[in-house]
Amino acid sequence: MYRRIRRSELNDLAREWHYSLDESELDEFHKLTEYISDITDSVDDLAAPAPQNVPAVRDPGRVPGDGEDPYNAVVRWCSVKLEGAEGVLSGARIGLKDSIAVAGVPLTGGSNVLPGFTPNADSVVAERILQAGGEIVAVLNMDYLAFSGGGDSSAYGPTFCPFDTTRTAGGSSGGSGAALYYDDVDITVGCDQGGSIRVPAAWSGVIGLKPTHGLVPYVGIMGIDQPIDYAGPMARTAADAARLLAAIAGKHPVDPRQPPEVPVRDYVRAVSDAPDDLSGLRIGVVAEGFSDAVGIESETANAVRDAIERLAELGAEVHEVSVPEHLRGGGVAFTGFIEGMTTLLAGGGNGFHWKGRYWPELATALSAGLKAFGDEMSDQVKLTLICGAHMRKHYHGAVYAKAQNLHAWLRAGYDNALEGLDMLVMPTSPGRPHTYEPTMPIAERVMRGWGVLANTAPMNITGHPTITLPAAEAGGLPVGLMVMARHFEDDRLLSLARTFEQRFGWAPEHPGDPREAGRSGALAGA
């Protein structure tokens, strides 16, 4: 049974909505709340349908031991596998971000507000990986509830850059990037609400694809706001990214994020049949992505320009273009993100007003955890909830509504630029991996962690597929080249990645698994 409203509480609750009850009304309204409670209790008595998980062999595993995880990329090693399943991921060992549900495996969202929480149902992504023959082998570190791109806010500590362990791997899917340098992880899944696949992929020197919005179901994954929630592959090769996307893409009946039709293409074939050159491909270089307004670092800009020259060497037609909306897109995304996430947390991580599969167990665990550990939340989460509560109190959703209504304007800006072009390119992140500085003042650290998303956040609103390629380097550190295509042309992005990969390879040179004998000395700061 649900807790009932006491008569003494009625006016406190009423005042939240700017009215009050006089003494003659209190008894009447108390009777009415009892009437409502009887109704809600009758629903509580109903048993929800039990989840129908695939009959996988499930070992929830263990936390890494000393020396097993030099990048602090892994929250726990595990083993979940559907015996006899064969498909595009047969033999592949997959790591999942610590926001993606796997039945029987603890989930924390990189936080301390979900102690002891273990999902009883697989996310759609996990289910499809298992059905395609993949084995889920790791739960991967992430920024606290995915609220930062800095890679340094997790309750488990920062995830470190594989090329310099005095720096972070970026976020919020930092573990999904860095873990790809361990020999026992082949491919990973990250989630992206403002750049959280692409920034850590860029800083870790791997491929990261934010698919077209709605291409990959987000059911059973902790999110921030439905219009900006994405899950996608992170990988060392274009072929591996294509294999994973092929397994997880497609329509699912309980995801409200997906449009009525979800066109799925042959991503594996797009890579296997990738041409030797890019003749006839028309690429626009977005000037605003290199501007001081996004905080561009000169070394990063120069490295990306060099990578674009290699696209031209491959035969692509390269044109400078301007997308003025790009410089305002991050603000639109951020404005919606603040109130959207506040409302989502108030709704137990589910939110309201949509049809699909809800997650009541998460709501119960999150409610208890926030009450018990609120003081220990990350600074990014605390700030977001303060500002979101302020917006709700004074503007009642108007700020969020305006931001949502600007989505079409922003999308049109990129679509207009794509007229006569096939793709747009720019730096993934304005700068290279951050040095880990635990004593940095709170305000500076929070702003630094969000500033890295300046080029990536707009595409979370517009829904365009966007890939980051480890096509450049500066000072021995990886620099990402970000490429955008039209909606559902994810296959073309993977094809371009393979063409570039087979001609030039990726940069910097892959450092290999740091746990191998004789390799630890190659890691700066190790």
Side-chain angles (χ1 to χ4, degrees):
M1 293 177 62
Y2 298 112
R3 181 186 178 280
R4 301 204 167 204
I5 300 172
R6 301 185 182 97
R7 184 181 187 278
S8 61
E9 297 174 314
L10 288 172
N11 264 323
D12 288 339
L13 294 169
R15 276 190 287 271
E16 292 186 22
W17 294 97
H18 315 291
Y19 70 94
S20 62
L21 302 172
D22 62 33
E23 193 64 27
S24 65
E25 295 173 310
L26 287 174
D27 286 337
E28 296 302 312
F29 273 83
H30 190 241
K31 290 178 184 177
L32 290 170
T33 64
E34 288 292 303
Y35 167 72
I36 296 295
S37 292
D38 287 341
I39 295 172
T40 57
D41 283 346
S42 71
V43 174
D44 188 41
D45 291 339
L46 296 174
Q52 300 297 311
N53 297 314
V54 296
V57 177
R58 299 173 186 270
D59 178 359
R62 57 179 177 80
V63 299
D66 291 342
E68 283 189 279
D69 184 21
Y71 300 139
N72 198 33
V74 179
V75 172
R76 72 170 42 238
W77 298 108
C78 62
S79 177
V80 181
K81 187 174 183 179
L82 180 60
E83 297 293 345
E86 294 185 4
V88 70
L89 291 179
S90 290
R93 297 160 299 178
I94 314 295
L96 301 184
K97 186 176 182 176
D98 186 24
S99 58
I100 303 173
V102 181
V105 179
L107 178 76
T108 72
S111 77
N112 53 6
V113 296
L114 290 171
F117 177 60
T118 300
N120 64 358
D122 288 320
S123 60
V124 173
V125 162
E127 179 183 272
R128 288 180 173 179
I129 286 170
L130 296 172
Q131 290 172 331
E135 178 185 5
I136 297 169
V137 298
V139 176
L140 302 173
N141 202 4
M142 59 179 281
D143 279 273
Y144 200 108
L145 296 181
F147 271 70
S148 177
D152 57 2
S153 70
S154 172
Y156 301 100
T159 301
F160 296 109
C161 173
F163 293 86
D164 181 350
T165 54
T166 68
R167 300 172 184 263
T168 76
S172 62
S173 307
S176 299
L180 288 166
Y181 292 92
Y182 296 157
D183 289 341
D184 27 24
V185 177
D186 298 315
I187 319 172
T188 64
V189 181
C191 303
D192 196 312
Q193 281 85 17
S196 290
I197 286 173
R198 291 158 291 161
V199 168
W203 284 9
S204 297
V206 299
I207 296 170
L209 173 67
K210 180 197 74 63
T212 301
H213 189 261
L215 178 61
V216 174
Y218 207 83
V219 178
I221 306 177
M222 295 174 63
I224 287 180
D225 198 19
Q226 287 189 22
I228 60 170
D229 287 337
Y230 300 78
M234 300 172 71
R236 293 186 291 261
T237 68
D240 280 345
R243 290 169 65 197
L244 184 57
L245 185 62
I248 63 177
K251 184 74 173 174
H252 193 279
V254 297
D255 191 345
R257 296 165 186 79
Q258 295 185 292
E261 299 295 329
V262 180
V264 175
R265 301 184 180 181
D266 192 336
Y267 308 110
V268 173
R269 184 172 182 178
V271 169
S272 64
D273 292 352
D276 294 331
D277 60 41
L278 300 177
S279 298
L281 194 71
R282 300 157 299 177
I283 295 176
V285 181
V286 179
E288 288 78 7
F290 292 83
S291 69
D292 291 338
V294 299
I296 197 70
E297 175 195 52
S298 60
E299 293 87 348
T300 293
N302 292 336
V304 172
R305 291 284 184 187
D306 289 344
I308 293 170
E309 288 184 8
R310 289 193 285 279
L311 294 176
E313 286 180 40
L314 286 167
E317 299 176 18
V318 177
H319 306 272
E320 295 285 330
V321 298
S322 176
V323 185
E325 295 87 349
H326 181 72
L327 298 181
R328 306 297 298 274
V332 174
F334 204 78
T335 299
F337 160 95
I338 293 292
E339 197 171 359
M341 186 57 183
T342 302
T343 302
L344 188 72
L345 285 180
N350 290 280
F352 304 97
H353 310 307
W354 53 275
K355 289 187 176 181
R357 191 178 89 193
Y358 281 72
W359 203 349
E361 299 83 11
L362 174 64
T364 301
L366 192 59
S367 174
L370 289 171
K371 290 175 183 176
F373 301 103
D375 285 338
E376 300 176 37
M377 291 189 298
S378 73
D379 297 317
Q380 291 87 347
V381 174
K382 290 177 179 178
L383 175 63
T384 298
L385 295 179
I386 287 171
C387 294
H390 169 78
M391 291 176 182
R392 285 173 51 186
K393 179 179 180 180
H394 293 282
Y395 305 106
H396 299 281
V399 177
Y400 178 83
K402 182 172 183 178
Q404 295 300 310
N405 285 343
L406 287 168
H407 285 204
W409 164 80
L410 185 60
R411 175 176 173 174
Y414 296 106
D415 286 342
N416 290 339
L418 283 166
E419 290 185 6
L421 298 171
D422 298 298
M423 298 176 187
L424 302 176
V425 298
M426 67 186 82
T428 306
S429 175
R432 292 171 291 174
H434 288 159
T435 301
Y436 176 54
E437 299 180 29
T439 61
M440 179 178 285
I442 290 173
E444 185 177 352
R445 185 178 67 252
V446 170
M447 289 188 289
R448 184 177 78 156
W450 283 334
V452 302
L453 309 175
N455 275 346
T456 54
M459 296 82 184
N460 288 80
I461 284 180
T462 68
H464 292 90
T466 314
I467 196 169
T468 182
L469 305 178
E473 65 176 297
L477 295 170
V479 173
L481 170 70
M482 187 165 68
V483 190
M484 173 202 292
R486 293 180 179 84
H487 284 225
F488 296 106
E489 291 187 353
D490 306 66
D491 56 327
R492 299 191 73 187
L493 294 177
L494 290 165
S495 176
L496 178 145
R498 177 55 184 157
T499 298
F500 192 104
E501 179 184 32
Q502 62 187 351
R503 171 72 73 87
F504 298 111
W506 302 128
E509 183 179 352
H510 191 299
D513 192 326
R515 301 167 300 181
E516 294 176 8
R519 293 206 59 88
S520 60
L523 297 171

